[in-house]
Amino acid sequence: MTSSSPPKPARESELPKPVEETTDDLIDKLQSRKVVPLRHPWRWAASLVVVVLLAQAAHALTTNDAFQWDAFGYWFTRPVVVEGLLLTLQLTGLSAVFGLLGGILLALMRLSRNPVLQSVAWAYIWLFRSIPLIVLLLFLANITALYATLSLGIPFGPSFVEFSANDLLSFYMVAVLGLSLNEAAYAAEIVRSGIISVDQSQLEAASALGLPKGRQYRRIILPQATRAIIPAYANQLIGLLKGTSVVYITSLLELFGVVQSQASINSGQIIPLLMVGTIWYIVLTSLLSVVQYYLERYFSRGALRTVPPTPFQRLRSRLRTTGVAR
Amino acid sequence: MTVAVKVRGAVKTYGTNRVLDEVDFTAQAGQVTAIIGPSGSGKSTLLRAINHLEPLDSGYVTVRGELIGVRLHKGRLRELSERAILRQRSRIGFVFQSLNLFPHLSVVENIIEAPVVTQRVPKQQAIKQAKELLAKVGLADKFDAYPRQLSGGQQQRVAIARALALEPELILFDEPTSALDPELVGEVLTVIRDLAAAGTTMIVVTHEIGFAREVADHVVFIDAGRIVEQGPPSQVLVAPEHDRTREFLGKLV
Ligand SMILES: Nc1ncnc2c1ncn2[C@@H]1O[C@H](COP(=O)(O)OP(=O)(O)O)[C@@H](O)[C@H]1O
Ligand SMILES: [Mg+2]
């Protein structure tokens, strides 16, 4: 009758304990313990190799007398160098602002539904991306050969004011104008790529809410586009910063112009002077990179579920936790 | 009963594809109109034509007697200026199938944007109103969150609050639960049900037949750009006259 039912175990303690249970017991005991992070021996090895190579490079730089580090120290903060540096900053700043404004305008023209605006913007970008910056600058510097006077007035009609092209376009203005014209063409494509990277449904939602067209772009599209624009535009800006060195051909003495001219006056100083220029460009580029980092963080609001901490915040929190552990 | 929405002779073609083919239909104020039909039958196009997101080739739409997107001029319908169309849209709420809150704006910024900009509601007042709306959709605590920090159902409820903030005369829903995980559908339908109980005029494109039967006052079945059958849910959804309707409902259950 009961032959089919399994035999009843005699006593509980005689049963072998299932494996899971022991693991569970163990985990119960360990519940409050911290997990030991995975060790990364290869990461350490790779870091060591890199550090050794860096040390070698530093050694080579500091021990080679040809670099003339004392001359470098002399030139680095010379007033003439600082003046050139300031000029470089001015040229970069002004062309960046004008270039970006022009770029936004051109990008919106290319994206507009007006075929005339579209074509004009397209042609502008095509033209100014085709002309080498150095050629453009030389054209502008010699503009008197093309137009002796520039006038302000009704197009094709009477003019109210006339300027001699030579008076109006100082070399400084030639440089700003050339750099801005060139910059606008590249900035336009960067801005446009940012705008088209924003999902079409965002515009649709904005227009379903009845937001005015300008507001749709300013408040909804551009802030989201900016996230995609910043890395590309930072690249462009760094290119511009160094690109200003081209204006020395209009005999304008910005950072590189100063280096160049001082090297021709002071024989044997070319290496330390070039190092002065290089280090200043590196300093400026580094500052731009820091600004880029924080701008990217700011515009990633909402795009990431949680914004990762900055290197400083990470360092501080690490110091704090080790402090607590002790 | 007052007429909220009137669509007459609506025709829309994409190339040779006649997406809306002489569609006539009327939605009453204070009622819920459900639009059902197979995928690609033109439901979204019809809904989008109502607030002129999709201009019609011919035919017209009125909301509370006012022509939408066009005006009558010398016996012809002429398209309104963009500005005038945008102004009309701010009277009509629209909730999309895709989750499209503005991701870079917090929940409250999403909600107050349109009232502050288009209706010049003072910011403090708009924020107060946004808080009330969020409480209404059960998200009072999500005030400061960004959309990507919310679940799909929560995002869609914020989208409803955003549409409500304009105090629209009419709200259009285009499959508001189709992009959601099944367990999140209920919370969104509950909000819509509450709005229906409060007498909000709504047109809802939906595949949730049970919901339509319970909440809708009027059901429109559309197939291949034509209205096949319409009437109260007890008729269209329970005892349909047309084979096409029966076939469609049979496939859903
Ligand atoms: N912008 C468009 N261009 C071309 N065809 C479209 C466009 N929008 C919709 N359609 C077509 O119109 C038809 C109806 O679309 P839709 O109204 O979205 O259908 P439903 O919402 O009922 O699924 C479909 O065949 C679709 O492919
Ligand atoms: Mg659809």
mmCIF file of all heavy atoms in Angstrom, chain A residues 113 201-202 204-213 215-216 219-220 223-224 301-303 305, chain B residues 48 53 82 86 89-90 92 96 100-105 113-114 117-118 146 148-149 162 166:
data_model
loop_
_atom_site.group_PDB
_atom_site.id
_atom_site.type_symbol
_atom_site.label_atom_id
_atom_site.label_comp_id
_atom_site.label_asym_id
_atom_site.label_seq_id
_atom_site.Cartn_x
_atom_site.Cartn_y
_atom_site.Cartn_z
ATOM 1 N N ARG A 113 14.168 76.766 -44.482
ATOM 2 C CA ARG A 113 13.454 76.229 -45.636
ATOM 3 C C ARG A 113 13.533 77.166 -46.831
ATOM 4 O O ARG A 113 12.962 76.908 -47.867
ATOM 5 C CB ARG A 113 12.000 75.937 -45.246
ATOM 6 C CG ARG A 113 11.831 74.516 -44.724
ATOM 7 C CD ARG A 113 10.452 74.305 -44.164
ATOM 8 N NE ARG A 113 10.323 74.862 -42.814
ATOM 9 C CZ ARG A 113 9.195 74.868 -42.115
ATOM 10 N NH1 ARG A 113 8.096 74.368 -42.620
ATOM 11 N NH2 ARG A 113 9.163 75.361 -40.891
ATOM 12 N N SER A 201 11.803 64.745 -32.840
ATOM 13 C CA SER A 201 10.598 64.754 -32.003
ATOM 14 C C SER A 201 10.631 65.894 -30.983
ATOM 15 O O SER A 201 9.591 66.300 -30.475
ATOM 16 C CB SER A 201 10.453 63.421 -31.283
ATOM 17 O OG SER A 201 11.463 63.284 -30.316
ATOM 18 N N GLN A 202 11.823 66.426 -30.700
ATOM 19 C CA GLN A 202 11.912 67.546 -29.758
ATOM 20 C C GLN A 202 11.280 68.804 -30.355
ATOM 21 O O GLN A 202 10.566 69.535 -29.675
ATOM 22 C CB GLN A 202 13.379 67.816 -29.415
ATOM 23 C CG GLN A 202 13.987 66.716 -28.571
ATOM 24 C CD GLN A 202 13.483 66.776 -27.153
ATOM 25 O OE1 GLN A 202 13.585 67.780 -26.476
ATOM 26 N NE2 GLN A 202 12.910 65.680 -26.683
ATOM 27 N N GLU A 204 9.035 68.770 -32.682
ATOM 28 C CA GLU A 204 7.614 68.477 -32.814
ATOM 29 C C GLU A 204 6.894 68.737 -31.486
ATOM 30 O O GLU A 204 5.840 69.373 -31.451
ATOM 31 C CB GLU A 204 7.449 67.013 -33.221
ATOM 32 C CG GLU A 204 6.092 66.688 -33.740
ATOM 33 C CD GLU A 204 6.107 65.408 -34.547
ATOM 34 O OE1 GLU A 204 6.383 64.356 -33.942
ATOM 35 O OE2 GLU A 204 5.861 65.466 -35.752
ATOM 36 N N ALA A 205 7.496 68.261 -30.398
ATOM 37 C CA ALA A 205 6.884 68.472 -29.083
ATOM 38 C C ALA A 205 6.800 69.963 -28.783
ATOM 39 O O ALA A 205 5.789 70.458 -28.285
ATOM 40 C CB ALA A 205 7.706 67.760 -28.006
ATOM 41 N N ALA A 206 7.878 70.692 -29.113
ATOM 42 C CA ALA A 206 7.892 72.130 -28.837
ATOM 43 C C ALA A 206 6.831 72.846 -29.655
ATOM 44 O O ALA A 206 6.156 73.752 -29.158
ATOM 45 C CB ALA A 206 9.272 72.707 -29.132
ATOM 46 N N SER A 207 6.663 72.444 -30.921
ATOM 47 C CA SER A 207 5.676 73.167 -31.723
ATOM 48 C C SER A 207 4.260 72.727 -31.365
ATOM 49 O O SER A 207 3.325 73.506 -31.502
ATOM 50 C CB SER A 207 5.965 73.050 -33.218
ATOM 51 O OG SER A 207 5.587 71.806 -33.696
ATOM 52 N N ALA A 208 4.088 71.508 -30.848
ATOM 53 C CA ALA A 208 2.763 71.098 -30.376
ATOM 54 C C ALA A 208 2.361 71.909 -29.140
ATOM 55 O O ALA A 208 1.188 72.114 -28.875
ATOM 56 C CB ALA A 208 2.741 69.607 -30.059
ATOM 57 N N LEU A 209 3.361 72.363 -28.375
ATOM 58 C CA LEU A 209 3.069 73.202 -27.208
ATOM 59 C C LEU A 209 2.837 74.656 -27.612
ATOM 60 O O LEU A 209 2.509 75.487 -26.782
ATOM 61 C CB LEU A 209 4.223 73.149 -26.209
ATOM 62 C CG LEU A 209 4.357 71.868 -25.391
ATOM 63 C CD1 LEU A 209 5.680 71.854 -24.642
ATOM 64 C CD2 LEU A 209 3.203 71.730 -24.418
ATOM 65 N N GLY A 210 3.058 74.946 -28.885
ATOM 66 C CA GLY A 210 2.838 76.303 -29.367
ATOM 67 C C GLY A 210 3.969 77.259 -29.054
ATOM 68 O O GLY A 210 3.791 78.479 -29.114
ATOM 69 N N LEU A 211 5.150 76.737 -28.722
ATOM 70 C CA LEU A 211 6.280 77.633 -28.444
ATOM 71 C C LEU A 211 6.672 78.347 -29.732
ATOM 72 O O LEU A 211 6.756 77.725 -30.786
ATOM 73 C CB LEU A 211 7.478 76.832 -27.924
ATOM 74 C CG LEU A 211 7.314 76.127 -26.589
ATOM 75 C CD1 LEU A 211 8.595 75.389 -26.226
ATOM 76 C CD2 LEU A 211 6.942 77.106 -25.500
ATOM 77 N N PRO A 212 6.953 79.655 -29.652
ATOM 78 C CA PRO A 212 7.374 80.375 -30.852
ATOM 79 C C PRO A 212 8.665 79.790 -31.423
ATOM 80 O O PRO A 212 9.479 79.231 -30.679
ATOM 81 C CB PRO A 212 7.617 81.799 -30.344
ATOM 82 C CG PRO A 212 6.858 81.895 -29.073
ATOM 83 C CD PRO A 212 6.837 80.528 -28.483
ATOM 84 N N LYS A 213 8.804 79.963 -32.742
ATOM 85 C CA LYS A 213 9.922 79.337 -33.461
ATOM 86 C C LYS A 213 11.288 79.654 -32.834
ATOM 87 O O LYS A 213 12.110 78.763 -32.628
ATOM 88 C CB LYS A 213 9.891 79.826 -34.908
ATOM 89 C CG LYS A 213 10.582 78.931 -35.879
ATOM 90 C CD LYS A 213 9.661 77.834 -36.377
ATOM 91 C CE LYS A 213 10.448 76.755 -37.081
ATOM 92 N NZ LYS A 213 9.736 75.486 -37.090
ATOM 93 N N ARG A 215 12.010 80.597 -29.840
ATOM 94 C CA ARG A 215 12.110 79.962 -28.534
ATOM 95 C C ARG A 215 12.386 78.459 -28.678
ATOM 96 O O ARG A 215 13.126 77.881 -27.886
ATOM 97 C CB ARG A 215 10.791 80.190 -27.785
ATOM 98 C CG ARG A 215 10.744 79.637 -26.397
ATOM 99 C CD ARG A 215 11.414 80.553 -25.414
ATOM 100 N NE ARG A 215 11.407 79.966 -24.076
ATOM 101 C CZ ARG A 215 11.980 80.523 -23.019
ATOM 102 N NH1 ARG A 215 12.615 81.664 -23.140
ATOM 103 N NH2 ARG A 215 11.927 79.939 -21.847
ATOM 104 N N GLN A 216 11.767 77.829 -29.677
ATOM 105 C CA GLN A 216 12.011 76.403 -29.906
ATOM 106 C C GLN A 216 13.508 76.156 -30.072
ATOM 107 O O GLN A 216 14.055 75.198 -29.529
ATOM 108 C CB GLN A 216 11.288 75.918 -31.164
ATOM 109 C CG GLN A 216 9.786 75.878 -31.035
ATOM 110 C CD GLN A 216 9.110 75.415 -32.322
ATOM 111 O OE1 GLN A 216 9.734 74.805 -33.185
ATOM 112 N NE2 GLN A 216 7.833 75.709 -32.453
ATOM 113 N N ARG A 219 15.634 77.613 -26.618
ATOM 114 C CA ARG A 219 15.424 76.944 -25.339
ATOM 115 C C ARG A 219 15.484 75.417 -25.453
ATOM 116 O O ARG A 219 15.890 74.739 -24.524
ATOM 117 C CB ARG A 219 14.052 77.380 -24.804
ATOM 118 C CG ARG A 219 13.624 76.733 -23.517
ATOM 119 C CD ARG A 219 14.402 77.259 -22.335
ATOM 120 N NE ARG A 219 13.732 76.878 -21.095
ATOM 121 C CZ ARG A 219 14.329 76.864 -19.922
ATOM 122 N NH1 ARG A 219 15.583 77.215 -19.818
ATOM 123 N NH2 ARG A 219 13.660 76.509 -18.850
ATOM 124 N N ILE A 220 15.032 74.881 -26.571
ATOM 125 C CA ILE A 220 14.910 73.430 -26.684
ATOM 126 C C ILE A 220 16.047 72.816 -27.506
ATOM 127 O O ILE A 220 16.712 71.891 -27.051
ATOM 128 C CB ILE A 220 13.543 73.032 -27.302
ATOM 129 C CG1 ILE A 220 12.393 73.699 -26.543
ATOM 130 C CG2 ILE A 220 13.382 71.517 -27.340
ATOM 131 C CD1 ILE A 220 12.308 73.355 -25.073
ATOM 132 N N PRO A 223 20.390 74.228 -26.613
ATOM 133 C CA PRO A 223 21.043 73.660 -25.418
ATOM 134 C C PRO A 223 21.372 72.177 -25.582
ATOM 135 O O PRO A 223 22.414 71.715 -25.115
ATOM 136 C CB PRO A 223 20.002 73.857 -24.307
ATOM 137 C CG PRO A 223 19.134 74.951 -24.785
ATOM 138 C CD PRO A 223 19.100 74.850 -26.276
ATOM 139 N N GLN A 224 20.496 71.446 -26.265
ATOM 140 C CA GLN A 224 20.786 70.021 -26.473
ATOM 141 C C GLN A 224 21.871 69.837 -27.529
ATOM 142 O O GLN A 224 22.710 68.946 -27.425
ATOM 143 C CB GLN A 224 19.518 69.278 -26.894
ATOM 144 C CG GLN A 224 18.475 69.255 -25.810
ATOM 145 C CD GLN A 224 17.285 68.383 -26.194
ATOM 146 O OE1 GLN A 224 17.397 67.180 -26.360
ATOM 147 N NE2 GLN A 224 16.132 69.004 -26.339
ATOM 148 N N ARG A 301 23.658 68.098 -18.213
ATOM 149 C CA ARG A 301 22.496 68.058 -17.326
ATOM 150 C C ARG A 301 21.349 67.325 -18.002
ATOM 151 O O ARG A 301 20.949 67.669 -19.094
ATOM 152 C CB ARG A 301 22.001 69.481 -17.062
ATOM 153 C CG ARG A 301 22.394 70.081 -15.764
ATOM 154 C CD ARG A 301 21.931 71.509 -15.770
ATOM 155 N NE ARG A 301 21.930 72.001 -17.160
ATOM 156 C CZ ARG A 301 21.162 72.962 -17.608
ATOM 157 N NH1 ARG A 301 20.316 73.564 -16.830
ATOM 158 N NH2 ARG A 301 21.239 73.352 -18.860
ATOM 159 N N GLY A 302 20.801 66.324 -17.347
ATOM 160 C CA GLY A 302 19.640 65.657 -17.901
ATOM 161 C C GLY A 302 19.986 64.590 -18.921
ATOM 162 O O GLY A 302 19.220 63.671 -19.139
ATOM 163 N N ALA A 303 21.163 64.702 -19.556
ATOM 164 C CA ALA A 303 21.522 63.698 -20.558
ATOM 165 C C ALA A 303 22.052 62.442 -19.885
ATOM 166 O O ALA A 303 21.926 61.344 -20.402
ATOM 167 C CB ALA A 303 22.562 64.252 -21.524
ATOM 168 N N ARG A 305 22.047 60.115 -16.293
ATOM 169 C CA ARG A 305 21.227 59.936 -15.088
ATOM 170 C C ARG A 305 21.923 60.560 -13.886
ATOM 171 O O ARG A 305 21.305 61.203 -13.064
ATOM 172 C CB ARG A 305 20.979 58.451 -14.843
ATOM 173 C CG ARG A 305 19.884 57.944 -15.760
ATOM 174 C CD ARG A 305 19.345 56.626 -15.295
ATOM 175 N NE ARG A 305 18.073 56.384 -15.952
ATOM 176 C CZ ARG A 305 17.112 55.640 -15.454
ATOM 177 N NH1 ARG A 305 17.282 55.046 -14.290
ATOM 178 N NH2 ARG A 305 16.001 55.464 -16.099
ATOM 179 N N ARG B 48 -2.861 64.236 -35.904
ATOM 180 C CA ARG B 48 -1.920 65.336 -36.115
ATOM 181 C C ARG B 48 -2.512 66.417 -37.011
ATOM 182 O O ARG B 48 -2.117 67.577 -36.936
ATOM 183 C CB ARG B 48 -0.624 64.799 -36.709
ATOM 184 C CG ARG B 48 0.152 63.908 -35.718
ATOM 185 C CD ARG B 48 1.079 62.949 -36.438
ATOM 186 N NE ARG B 48 2.053 63.672 -37.234
ATOM 187 C CZ ARG B 48 3.190 64.144 -36.744
ATOM 188 N NH1 ARG B 48 3.484 63.945 -35.485
ATOM 189 N NH2 ARG B 48 4.007 64.815 -37.503
ATOM 190 N N LEU B 53 -0.318 69.759 -37.083
ATOM 191 C CA LEU B 53 1.071 69.291 -37.192
ATOM 192 C C LEU B 53 1.256 68.674 -38.571
ATOM 193 O O LEU B 53 2.367 68.592 -39.089
ATOM 194 C CB LEU B 53 1.381 68.236 -36.124
ATOM 195 C CG LEU B 53 1.814 68.702 -34.750
ATOM 196 C CD1 LEU B 53 2.037 67.528 -33.830
ATOM 197 C CD2 LEU B 53 3.071 69.555 -34.833
ATOM 198 N N GLU B 82 2.675 80.996 -39.403
ATOM 199 C CA GLU B 82 3.223 80.068 -38.419
ATOM 200 C C GLU B 82 2.885 80.504 -36.997
ATOM 201 O O GLU B 82 2.506 79.709 -36.139
ATOM 202 C CB GLU B 82 4.742 80.017 -38.604
ATOM 203 C CG GLU B 82 5.446 79.150 -37.610
ATOM 204 C CD GLU B 82 6.246 78.048 -38.283
ATOM 205 O OE1 GLU B 82 6.586 78.190 -39.471
ATOM 206 O OE2 GLU B 82 6.514 77.039 -37.614
ATOM 207 N N LEU B 86 0.799 78.444 -34.191
ATOM 208 C CA LEU B 86 1.372 78.106 -32.890
ATOM 209 C C LEU B 86 0.450 78.573 -31.765
ATOM 210 O O LEU B 86 0.282 77.899 -30.756
ATOM 211 C CB LEU B 86 2.762 78.734 -32.740
ATOM 212 C CG LEU B 86 3.849 78.066 -33.593
ATOM 213 C CD1 LEU B 86 5.110 78.919 -33.638
ATOM 214 C CD2 LEU B 86 4.177 76.685 -33.048
ATOM 215 N N ARG B 89 -2.283 76.145 -31.428
ATOM 216 C CA ARG B 89 -1.843 74.885 -30.836
ATOM 217 C C ARG B 89 -1.781 74.951 -29.319
ATOM 218 O O ARG B 89 -1.929 73.939 -28.652
ATOM 219 C CB ARG B 89 -0.458 74.505 -31.361
ATOM 220 C CG ARG B 89 -0.519 73.986 -32.750
ATOM 221 C CD ARG B 89 0.610 73.012 -33.005
ATOM 222 N NE ARG B 89 0.690 72.767 -34.420
ATOM 223 C CZ ARG B 89 1.667 73.210 -35.213
ATOM 224 N NH1 ARG B 89 2.670 73.884 -34.698
ATOM 225 N NH2 ARG B 89 1.646 72.963 -36.492
ATOM 226 N N SER B 90 -1.537 76.147 -28.800
ATOM 227 C CA SER B 90 -1.420 76.208 -27.340
ATOM 228 C C SER B 90 -2.782 76.018 -26.670
ATOM 229 O O SER B 90 -2.867 75.914 -25.463
ATOM 230 C CB SER B 90 -0.754 77.525 -26.910
ATOM 231 O OG SER B 90 -1.615 78.594 -27.179
ATOM 232 N N ILE B 92 -4.607 73.403 -27.646
ATOM 233 C CA ILE B 92 -4.844 71.976 -27.878
ATOM 234 C C ILE B 92 -3.672 71.180 -27.312
ATOM 235 O O ILE B 92 -2.545 71.341 -27.757
ATOM 236 C CB ILE B 92 -4.957 71.695 -29.396
ATOM 237 C CG1 ILE B 92 -6.032 72.584 -30.021
ATOM 238 C CG2 ILE B 92 -5.243 70.219 -29.641
ATOM 239 C CD1 ILE B 92 -6.058 72.537 -31.536
ATOM 240 N N PHE B 96 2.306 62.561 -27.097
ATOM 241 C CA PHE B 96 2.828 61.702 -28.161
ATOM 242 C C PHE B 96 3.057 60.275 -27.675
ATOM 243 O O PHE B 96 3.190 60.026 -26.472
ATOM 244 C CB PHE B 96 4.158 62.249 -28.669
ATOM 245 C CG PHE B 96 4.041 63.571 -29.361
ATOM 246 C CD1 PHE B 96 4.065 64.754 -28.639
ATOM 247 C CD2 PHE B 96 3.904 63.644 -30.729
ATOM 248 C CE1 PHE B 96 3.965 65.982 -29.276
ATOM 249 C CE2 PHE B 96 3.803 64.853 -31.380
ATOM 250 C CZ PHE B 96 3.832 66.022 -30.652
ATOM 251 N N ASN B 100 8.788 62.196 -25.282
ATOM 252 C CA ASN B 100 9.585 63.332 -25.753
ATOM 253 C C ASN B 100 9.490 64.551 -24.844
ATOM 254 O O ASN B 100 9.322 65.673 -25.300
ATOM 255 C CB ASN B 100 9.242 63.691 -27.200
ATOM 256 C CG ASN B 100 7.789 64.058 -27.349
ATOM 257 O OD1 ASN B 100 7.104 64.266 -26.353
ATOM 258 N ND2 ASN B 100 7.318 64.147 -28.559
ATOM 259 N N LEU B 101 9.659 64.314 -23.549
ATOM 260 C CA LEU B 101 9.914 65.443 -22.654
ATOM 261 C C LEU B 101 11.246 66.055 -23.083
ATOM 262 O O LEU B 101 12.039 65.409 -23.760
ATOM 263 C CB LEU B 101 10.002 64.960 -21.209
ATOM 264 C CG LEU B 101 8.712 64.406 -20.614
ATOM 265 C CD1 LEU B 101 8.975 63.860 -19.224
ATOM 266 C CD2 LEU B 101 7.627 65.462 -20.561
ATOM 267 N N PHE B 102 11.498 67.302 -22.662
ATOM 268 C CA PHE B 102 12.774 67.930 -22.990
ATOM 269 C C PHE B 102 13.809 67.436 -21.975
ATOM 270 O O PHE B 102 13.728 67.772 -20.795
ATOM 271 C CB PHE B 102 12.631 69.447 -22.948
ATOM 272 C CG PHE B 102 11.507 69.953 -23.823
ATOM 273 C CD1 PHE B 102 10.551 70.809 -23.328
ATOM 274 C CD2 PHE B 102 11.402 69.538 -25.150
ATOM 275 C CE1 PHE B 102 9.510 71.261 -24.133
ATOM 276 C CE2 PHE B 102 10.366 69.979 -25.965
ATOM 277 C CZ PHE B 102 9.419 70.844 -25.448
ATOM 278 N N PRO B 103 14.784 66.638 -22.406
ATOM 279 C CA PRO B 103 15.653 65.948 -21.449
ATOM 280 C C PRO B 103 16.566 66.869 -20.655
ATOM 281 O O PRO B 103 17.002 66.508 -19.569
ATOM 282 C CB PRO B 103 16.476 64.996 -22.330
ATOM 283 C CG PRO B 103 16.417 65.587 -23.688
ATOM 284 C CD PRO B 103 15.105 66.297 -23.794
ATOM 285 N N HIS B 104 16.857 68.070 -21.194
ATOM 286 C CA HIS B 104 17.784 68.959 -20.500
ATOM 287 C C HIS B 104 17.062 69.873 -19.517
ATOM 288 O O HIS B 104 17.695 70.677 -18.847
ATOM 289 C CB HIS B 104 18.554 69.798 -21.516
ATOM 290 C CG HIS B 104 17.666 70.671 -22.358
ATOM 291 N ND1 HIS B 104 16.656 70.158 -23.134
ATOM 292 C CD2 HIS B 104 17.620 72.007 -22.526
ATOM 293 C CE1 HIS B 104 16.033 71.146 -23.755
ATOM 294 N NE2 HIS B 104 16.599 72.278 -23.394
ATOM 295 N N LEU B 105 15.729 69.768 -19.460
ATOM 296 C CA LEU B 105 14.969 70.579 -18.515
ATOM 297 C C LEU B 105 14.392 69.665 -17.441
ATOM 298 O O LEU B 105 13.992 68.538 -17.728
ATOM 299 C CB LEU B 105 13.835 71.310 -19.229
ATOM 300 C CG LEU B 105 14.220 72.242 -20.383
ATOM 301 C CD1 LEU B 105 12.983 72.925 -20.945
ATOM 302 C CD2 LEU B 105 15.225 73.281 -19.929
ATOM 303 N N GLU B 113 7.277 75.713 -19.077
ATOM 304 C CA GLU B 113 7.802 76.382 -20.276
ATOM 305 C C GLU B 113 6.698 77.017 -21.132
ATOM 306 O O GLU B 113 6.731 78.217 -21.415
ATOM 307 C CB GLU B 113 8.608 75.373 -21.104
ATOM 308 C CG GLU B 113 9.130 75.890 -22.436
ATOM 309 C CD GLU B 113 10.196 76.969 -22.292
ATOM 310 O OE1 GLU B 113 10.702 77.151 -21.184
ATOM 311 O OE2 GLU B 113 10.480 77.645 -23.304
ATOM 312 N N ALA B 114 5.715 76.202 -21.533
ATOM 313 C CA ALA B 114 4.690 76.723 -22.452
ATOM 314 C C ALA B 114 3.792 77.778 -21.802
ATOM 315 O O ALA B 114 3.575 78.845 -22.386
ATOM 316 C CB ALA B 114 3.880 75.579 -23.038
ATOM 317 N N VAL B 117 5.764 81.059 -21.487
ATOM 318 C CA VAL B 117 6.142 81.703 -22.745
ATOM 319 C C VAL B 117 4.926 82.095 -23.579
ATOM 320 O O VAL B 117 4.861 83.210 -24.085
ATOM 321 C CB VAL B 117 7.069 80.778 -23.563
ATOM 322 C CG1 VAL B 117 7.324 81.354 -24.942
ATOM 323 C CG2 VAL B 117 8.379 80.594 -22.818
ATOM 324 N N THR B 118 3.954 81.189 -23.699
ATOM 325 C CA THR B 118 2.865 81.480 -24.635
ATOM 326 C C THR B 118 1.691 82.186 -23.970
ATOM 327 O O THR B 118 0.961 82.907 -24.628
ATOM 328 C CB THR B 118 2.346 80.203 -25.319
ATOM 329 O OG1 THR B 118 1.711 79.381 -24.340
ATOM 330 C CG2 THR B 118 3.476 79.434 -25.970
ATOM 331 N N TYR B 146 15.102 65.043 -13.531
ATOM 332 C CA TYR B 146 15.222 65.172 -14.973
ATOM 333 C C TYR B 146 14.531 63.973 -15.615
ATOM 334 O O TYR B 146 14.509 62.880 -15.029
ATOM 335 C CB TYR B 146 16.694 65.238 -15.386
ATOM 336 C CG TYR B 146 17.294 66.596 -15.129
ATOM 337 C CD1 TYR B 146 18.004 66.859 -13.971
ATOM 338 C CD2 TYR B 146 17.100 67.622 -16.045
ATOM 339 C CE1 TYR B 146 18.527 68.122 -13.729
ATOM 340 C CE2 TYR B 146 17.621 68.883 -15.814
ATOM 341 C CZ TYR B 146 18.326 69.125 -14.656
ATOM 342 O OH TYR B 146 18.831 70.374 -14.435
ATOM 343 N N ARG B 148 15.209 61.703 -17.731
ATOM 344 C CA ARG B 148 15.875 60.402 -17.847
ATOM 345 C C ARG B 148 15.999 59.698 -16.502
ATOM 346 O O ARG B 148 16.385 58.543 -16.437
ATOM 347 C CB ARG B 148 17.271 60.548 -18.478
ATOM 348 C CG ARG B 148 17.172 60.967 -19.919
ATOM 349 C CD ARG B 148 18.213 60.309 -20.815
ATOM 350 N NE ARG B 148 17.900 60.619 -22.211
ATOM 351 C CZ ARG B 148 18.392 61.674 -22.861
ATOM 352 N NH1 ARG B 148 19.240 62.467 -22.284
ATOM 353 N NH2 ARG B 148 18.040 61.907 -24.104
ATOM 354 N N GLN B 149 15.683 60.407 -15.427
ATOM 355 C CA GLN B 149 15.708 59.762 -14.118
ATOM 356 C C GLN B 149 14.360 59.146 -13.780
ATOM 357 O O GLN B 149 14.186 58.605 -12.696
ATOM 358 C CB GLN B 149 16.104 60.785 -13.044
ATOM 359 C CG GLN B 149 17.512 61.338 -13.259
ATOM 360 C CD GLN B 149 17.807 62.569 -12.431
ATOM 361 O OE1 GLN B 149 16.916 63.331 -12.094
ATOM 362 N NE2 GLN B 149 19.073 62.773 -12.122
ATOM 363 N N ARG B 162 2.272 68.271 -18.572
ATOM 364 C CA ARG B 162 2.773 69.357 -19.419
ATOM 365 C C ARG B 162 1.676 69.847 -20.371
ATOM 366 O O ARG B 162 1.511 71.039 -20.594
ATOM 367 C CB ARG B 162 3.995 68.867 -20.213
ATOM 368 C CG ARG B 162 4.631 69.913 -21.085
ATOM 369 C CD ARG B 162 5.938 69.443 -21.684
ATOM 370 N NE ARG B 162 5.740 68.468 -22.758
ATOM 371 C CZ ARG B 162 6.712 67.988 -23.511
ATOM 372 N NH1 ARG B 162 7.964 68.363 -23.304
ATOM 373 N NH2 ARG B 162 6.467 67.102 -24.452
ATOM 374 N N LEU B 166 -1.391 74.033 -20.042
ATOM 375 C CA LEU B 166 -1.911 75.092 -20.908
ATOM 376 C C LEU B 166 -3.416 75.243 -20.766
ATOM 377 O O LEU B 166 -4.026 76.035 -21.476
ATOM 378 C CB LEU B 166 -1.537 74.798 -22.367
ATOM 379 C CG LEU B 166 -0.066 75.018 -22.701
ATOM 380 C CD1 LEU B 166 0.307 74.367 -24.010
ATOM 381 C CD2 LEU B 166 0.237 76.505 -22.752
#
